[in-house]
Amino acid sequence: MAAADGGRGGCWFPALALGVSLLKCLLIPSYHSTDFEVHRNWLAITHNLPVSQWYYEATSEWTLDYPPFFAWFEYALSHVAKYFDQEMLVIQNLNYSSPATVFFQRLSVIFTDILFVYAVHECCRCVNGKQAGKDILEKPMFVLAVLLLWNFGLLIIDHIHFQYNGFLFGLMLLSVARIFQKRHLEGAFLFAVLLHFKHIYIYVAPAYGVYLLRSYCFTANMADGSLKWSSFSFLRITLLGLIICLVSALSLGPFAVLGQLPQVISRLFPFKRGLCHAYWAPNFWALYNAVDKTLAFAGLKYKFLDPEKIPKASMTGGLVQEFQHTVLPSVTPLATLICTFISILPSVFCLWFKPQGPRGFLRCLILCSLSSFMFGWHVHEKAILLAILPLSLLSVESPKYAGIYLILTTTGHFSLFPLLFTPPEIPVKILLMLLFTVYCFSSLRALFRKAGPLLNWLETIYLIHLVPLEIFCEIVFPLTAWKLKFPFIPLLLTSVYCALGIIYAWLKLYISVLTEFYPPLKVFV
């Protein structure tokens, strides 16, 4: 049993957790993004204003746009922050970043990561992978712990760029672990709480909803594995409903009483922000936008388009939030919603008709997160971690998923490079990425040494070409005359190239799941 192995090798997990915590402390003085000011402003808002004004305050452009539980989280932090530097809690102190403020906010991320560490420990107990060798370094539990605790993307996003994703992913992974442990009500409760901390996790809600309904509310199957309708438990669905209602009432109730729910919703879902973020996330819409730009350039060159009728930002500003398509039809929020719904439908269908236990749920969760990343509205590049982290659990159990994980992780992490653009952070991100990637390849190859190569030659060539792409973007391009006229080219190349790899990994994972659901499909793949 995995848990037994964890007991015998108990000393290694605290060492891994302590080691990564020390690394996080070393990153305290590093560059931080505007997200640092976002959270400082939220500390000030929640500390100084009554609840009725939290979602109306707009002194800063970085208004409160997370669900109420996160607002209360900031409120709790603010009462510790006042002992470090009172000035950070002044709403009018825009872009305030004293050494004490930086130290407190960095420390708050490191401290709240305790939940993530605990969640990783619980996930490691759920691993059933083959034991590749007697050495603890080759045990699936150990490999999984490193892949999660030392995840490159989470390190740079939280502890350089600055966010609280570790704490939030801790809630998600702990919820997944509870599902694996058949503690369904705890899993449902944790996920409901998570949704009211950060609503981006609604992307994976279909996996939770379908699995809990199919495998918890229905208590038995027919001999052929099909659903036994008479086994439906009204008690269980009532308990699930109560959990959802109570958590939602605790979160949204005060704002409902104040008549402010429409205001809260408008802050949480700001559709006016545009299809893409300032830097295109490497998804389907990045390719769509790139094709539109290419057609526009060709149209201008061959005089098919009138230069006066082309939006200026579309052709000179590069990657902007309000991207107006020139040749291809512009995309609406409804169109992205329909595309996302269609793309997750097969995975949900498989989960309902052939649940395959908690691992079937985990596959559906990953596909839901990837599908939403592919087709969602105003997707951030950081959202790729929503698929990478849970896929880590499958990667140590099967060579098939290990190969997909290597492609998705390497490409997805590389796509985060543009977030760290200051010169001092360039060697740091390259070194951390190299160390993590080398470990991923070597440890997973050691786990599945009898299974043959994890990647085929085409996949290997694709990943190798990330190296010259980085050299061009960081070294060659700044020396060219294009830097002034087309400053967006490095972002465009990174986004488009990474989009190809992520879409490929998504399709490969989908094909794998569908062939397991319907074996005759293997004839065609």
Side-chain angles (χ1 to χ4, degrees):
M1 291 293 291
D5 282 332
R8 293 194 298 270
C11 61
W12 58 263
F13 189 87
L16 281 178
L18 179 61
V20 75
S21 298
L22 292 175
L23 174 61
K24 293 170 185 177
C25 291
L26 293 176
L27 296 174
I28 286 176
S30 58
Y31 148 86
H32 53 79
S33 71
T34 53
D35 282 328
F36 182 88
E37 168 60 15
V38 170
H39 289 283
R40 185 216 61 80
N41 186 51
W42 294 358
L43 287 172
I45 290 173
T46 55
H47 186 80
N48 292 288
L49 300 178
V51 175
S52 60
Q53 296 181 34
W54 284 2
Y55 287 94
Y56 285 92
E57 163 58 34
T59 300
S60 167
E61 62 179 307
W62 312 117
T63 53
L64 181 58
D65 59 4
Y66 273 25
F69 278 178
F70 202 94
W72 286 109
F73 171 72
E74 294 280 6
Y75 173 78
L77 286 179
S78 73
H79 285 278
V80 182
K82 65 185 179 184
Y83 295 107
F84 286 78
D85 186 348
Q86 284 274 7
E87 292 300 308
M88 79 171 86
L89 300 176
V90 177
I91 294 176
Q92 289 72 25
N93 279 354
L94 303 183
N95 299 310
Y96 184 79
S97 57
S98 68
T101 301
V102 172
F103 180 71
F104 167 74
Q105 291 200 229
R106 291 289 195 193
L107 202 62
S108 68
V109 179
I110 296 171
F111 180 77
T112 54
D113 274 356
I114 291 173
L115 178 61
F116 181 73
V117 172
Y118 175 67
V120 171
H121 179 268
E122 292 299 293
C123 285
C124 288
R125 295 175 58 198
C126 303
V127 170
N128 285 333
K130 297 178 181 178
Q131 307 299 313
K134 296 181 180 179
D135 189 347
I136 188 62
L137 299 178
E138 294 184 0
K139 298 289 186 182
M141 287 179 64
F142 181 86
V143 174
L144 176 61
V146 177
L147 295 184
L148 290 174
L149 291 176
W150 290 76
N151 180 271
F152 166 77
L154 203 53
L155 277 175
I156 68 166
I157 294 300
D158 277 12
H159 302 282
I160 300 180
H161 186 79
F162 193 84
Q163 279 190 349
Y164 289 91
N165 291 294
F167 165 70
L168 297 170
F169 277 119
L171 280 172
M172 188 187 82
L173 291 178
L174 188 56
S175 171
V176 170
R178 294 299 181 246
I179 296 288
F180 269 72
Q181 295 161 2
K182 300 192 183 303
R183 294 157 67 173
H184 298 93
L185 292 179
E186 287 182 52
F189 171 76
L190 289 167
F191 183 68
V193 169
L194 176 62
L195 279 181
H196 289 275
F197 265 99
K198 191 171 183 179
H199 50 303
I200 190 177
Y201 293 94
I202 199 171
Y203 289 154
V204 298
Y208 275 89
V210 171
Y211 181 76
L212 289 171
L213 181 62
R214 175 65 175 82
S215 299
Y216 176 69
C217 295
F218 286 94
T219 59
N221 293 322
M222 303 293 284
D224 60 358
S226 60
L227 186 63
K228 187 175 182 179
W229 291 94
S230 61
S231 69
F232 182 76
S233 170
F234 286 99
L235 174 62
R236 291 189 173 190
I237 199 168
T238 300
L239 290 173
L240 284 176
L242 281 174
I243 287 173
I244 295 169
C245 291
L246 287 173
V247 172
S248 299
L250 188 61
S251 171
L252 300 173
F255 300 96
V257 171
L258 293 168
Q260 294 182 358
L261 271 185
Q263 174 65 15
V264 174
I265 298 301
S266 69
R267 283 283 185 89
L268 299 185
F269 300 98
F271 288 111
K272 293 181 180 179
R273 286 185 178 177
L275 173 65
C276 296
H277 192 234
Y279 156 48
W280 297 347
N283 59 10
F284 175 81
W285 302 123
L287 298 183
Y288 188 86
N289 292 344
V291 170
D292 184 77
K293 269 189 176 288
T294 303
L295 292 175
F297 274 116
L300 286 174
K301 183 175 181 180
Y302 296 105
K303 316 248 184 246
F304 295 129
L305 296 175
D306 183 356
E308 299 298 323
K309 295 182 179 179
I310 295 180
K312 197 149 194 166
S314 175
M315 300 311 301
T316 60
L319 310 187
V320 295
Q321 290 185 349
E322 295 291 343
F323 185 86
Q324 294 177 278
H325 294 99
T326 307
V327 179
L328 298 178
S330 290
V331 181
T332 64
L334 179 60
T336 63
L337 180 64
I338 292 171
C339 290
T340 303
F341 176 76
I342 292 173
S343 65
I344 70 171
L345 207 54
S347 64
V348 173
F349 181 88
C350 293
L351 185 62
W352 177 265
F353 287 97
K354 195 174 182 180
Q356 297 183 318
R359 281 166 182 78
F361 156 73
L362 185 57
R363 286 191 289 267
C364 182
L365 182 150
I366 297 165
L367 284 171
C368 284
S369 61
L370 270 178
S371 298
S372 302
F373 183 85
M374 285 293 106
F375 301 105
W377 178 265
H378 198 76
V379 173
H380 287 232
E381 63 289 329
K382 294 163 280 196
I384 192 62
L385 295 179
L386 191 53
I388 289 175
L389 291 174
L391 184 57
S392 305
L393 276 73
L394 295 179
S395 71
V396 299
E397 294 190 344
S398 163
K400 172 176 59 179
Y401 295 119
I404 297 171
Y405 173 82
L406 291 175
I407 298 168
L408 183 66
T409 301
T410 307
T411 310
H413 284 166
F414 183 85
S415 73
L416 301 175
F417 267 29
L419 294 176
L420 304 183
F421 51 84
T422 53
E425 275 64 49
I426 290 175
V428 174
K429 70 181 181 182
I430 291 175
L431 178 61
L432 289 177
M433 170 82 173
L434 280 175
L435 289 174
F436 184 78
T437 304
V438 168
Y439 179 80
C440 287
F441 276 81
S442 60
S443 61
L444 292 176
R445 189 182 299 119
L447 272 182
F448 305 110
R449 57 168 58 96
K450 295 180 181 179
L454 298 178
L455 302 177
N456 61 42
W457 65 270
L458 190 60
E459 294 164 348
T460 303
I461 290 174
Y462 168 81
L463 293 180
I464 289 174
H465 276 82
L466 291 171
V467 176
L469 176 59
E470 174 65 7
I471 292 172
F472 174 79
C473 292
E474 296 287 1
I475 300 174
V476 177
F477 182 79
L479 302 176
T480 67
W482 292 349
K483 181 181 178 181
L484 296 177
K485 191 174 182 181
F486 305 110
F488 58 87
I489 283 181
L491 290 176
L492 180 65
L493 291 176
T494 301
S495 182
V496 170
Y497 192 78
C498 290
L500 294 173
I502 292 173
I503 290 173
Y504 174 81
W506 171 65
L507 290 173
K508 191 171 184 179
L509 179 60
Y510 234 133
I511 291 171
S512 171
V513 170
L514 291 176
T515 52
E516 286 185 23
F517 173 74
Y518 188 62
L521 284 175
K522 291 182 179 179
V523 176
F524 302 101
V525 298

